[in-house]
Amino acid sequence: MEYCKYHPLVPATYNCDHCDIQNCDHCINEGNNQQSKRCFICGNEVESLGARYNAEPFWRRLQESFHYPLNTGTITLIISMACLAVVVSFLPFAIIWHLMLIGAFMKYCFTCLEKTAKGLFIAPDITAAYDGGFIIALQLIAMVAIISGATIGIHLWLGIGMATLFGGIVMCCIPAILINFALTENILDAINPLKIIYLISAIGLPYGLLLGLMMVMMGSVSVISQLLGDNLSFLNIVLQFSAFNYYIIVAFHIMGYMIFQYQGQLGFIAQEDNKKRKHTRSDIDRLLVKIEIHVKEGEYDEAISLFHDAIKKYPDDKNIYNKYFDFVIAIKDKELIEEYASFYFKFLNQSHSEDLITRSYKRILQAHPKYMPNTAEDRLMLAKECKQSGDSRTTVKLLNGINKTFPDFAGLGVVYELMADALRDIPKMADKADQFEALSKRFIELKRKKTMVKKRGKRIPPKELDNKSVIETIKDNAKKNDDGLSYDGGIDFN
């Protein structure tokens, strides 16, 4: 069994000859119409391996096989055929009516086999029994006639012992004959000894298990007959015919499943369907799979380029941003982390995903312990989120020294106020908190006054309203008032 290169526990369903790799359904590019399956790496068309790698052995799903005919339509067909078989026995030309019933029922059974072989494990609609049944009945009669003629010929030429042996071999080959007939729809191919031997050898030991199971099912019909007794009432006969019909459908379903399971050896290709119809993936989904494959191939530059293209094409898709962030953290590229983190935080903030900001920041620190946002706005935003989540120490770390790194940041008053709130949550930092609170109040108040005060009939020039000027004014006032406060905006603690 071959497995998908990128999902080692998933059986492969496609092969790329150019790349010499096997992929599962998830890892191929099916396009918008699912008609052309291509490799995400080279872009060439891939070859279907069918679903033979997905199929579990038939003996492990016997319960599902016996449940196969248990639906309203099929049960109705089983009972109706049994009732009609009894009724037509009393009509003129009964043999013709029986042939028509047998043909219709066998047409339905072969439809079950055909659908199962293609991976559809739901019993077909009973309308499948209406068309072409008489022809199948004649073909089956022709096969029986040929086999009977061969048996009689062997009896005449070689004796009863060899004829009995031949008859036993034929009985063992009946499943193979029916499977060959279903695959080729040709009588001669169905009874061709070479093709029968090839099919049995291709399936191997499980063929013997199938044969034994079919014998058990037919034997159970005899048991049911004995339990019902010799009373040949209408109800008893219908029950016996119904049990026989039920087991026949189960047997044909199992034979179809064997074609599905051994399709590689039998030269048959099928895709598993079951009740799950494949849906067409969106362009975004296929793009993310392509990125995933390039990442697993170690082609990081190509993956980064695809991520950038994806963000440009789908600027509001949260999944793409999150996938890219996961990728950046996984490869621990510090430059890429610093480049993308700010962009990612802004997206989270704008998309109302603030709950992810603190968690993402801490994931960054695990991959890049010395990371610090490169803008005052980002540091303040992160600090607010950390404070809201109860992490005051990280809040202080983000705000510490921000006025030195970004002396012109207009939000320093907010920074000092938030620093004061965070310091109050840290043991033995109450005095520092008071200083930052006083600094915040003076900073905001002085800046407000400076914007209102006129100097010689004019407003103060903008250069005198910058943060540096405000802080210097506060320092000068502190020296004059000798209040003992430190206004450097920084704090050092472990």
Side-chain angles (χ1 to χ4, degrees), residues 171-205:
M171 291 297 294
C172 293
C173 292
I174 285 178
I177 292 171
L178 293 174
I179 290 174
N180 275 333
F181 181 70
L183 289 173
T184 63
E185 297 182 358
N186 185 287
I187 296 174
L188 296 179
D189 284 338
I191 60 177
N192 186 329
L194 294 178
K195 292 197 173 184
I196 292 173
I197 293 171
Y198 174 78
L199 186 143
I200 293 174
S201 62
I203 294 176
L205 180 61

Side-chain angles (χ1 to χ4, degrees), residues 78-87 224 228 231-246:
I78 289 172
I79 297 175
S80 299
M81 287 293 177
C83 293
L84 289 172
V86 178
V87 172
I224 292 173
L228 294 174
N231 181 16
L232 297 179
S233 66
F234 179 81
L235 180 60
N236 283 356
I237 297 174
V238 168
L239 288 175
Q240 291 179 44
F241 270 115
S242 296
F244 180 78
N245 292 344
Y246 168 78

Side-chain angles (χ1 to χ4, degrees), residues 103-213:
F105 185 70
M106 293 308 296
K107 174 64 168 61
Y108 182 79
C109 290
F110 274 106
T111 302
C112 292
L113 186 152
E114 178 187 353
K115 297 293 185 182
T116 304
K118 292 180 178 179
L120 181 62
F121 302 151
I122 303 173
D125 190 86
I126 60 174
T127 55
Y130 297 160
D131 183 33
F134 193 74
I135 295 175
I136 288 182
L138 293 178
Q139 290 174 317
L140 292 176
I141 291 172
M143 281 193 287
V144 171
I146 293 172
I147 294 171
S148 299
T151 305
I152 293 171
I154 292 173
H155 177 255
L156 294 175
W157 287 92
L158 301 175
I160 189 171
M162 293 302 294
T164 302
L165 177 62
F166 177 76
I169 293 174
V170 169
M171 291 297 294
C172 293
C173 292
I174 285 178
I177 292 171
L178 293 174
I179 290 174
N180 275 333
F181 181 70
L183 289 173
T184 63
E185 297 182 358
N186 185 287
I187 296 174
L188 296 179
D189 284 338
I191 60 177
N192 186 329
L194 294 178
K195 292 197 173 184
I196 292 173
I197 293 171
Y198 174 78
L199 186 143
I200 293 174
S201 62
I203 294 176
L205 180 61
Y207 182 84
L209 298 176
L210 170 65
L211 190 62
L213 179 62

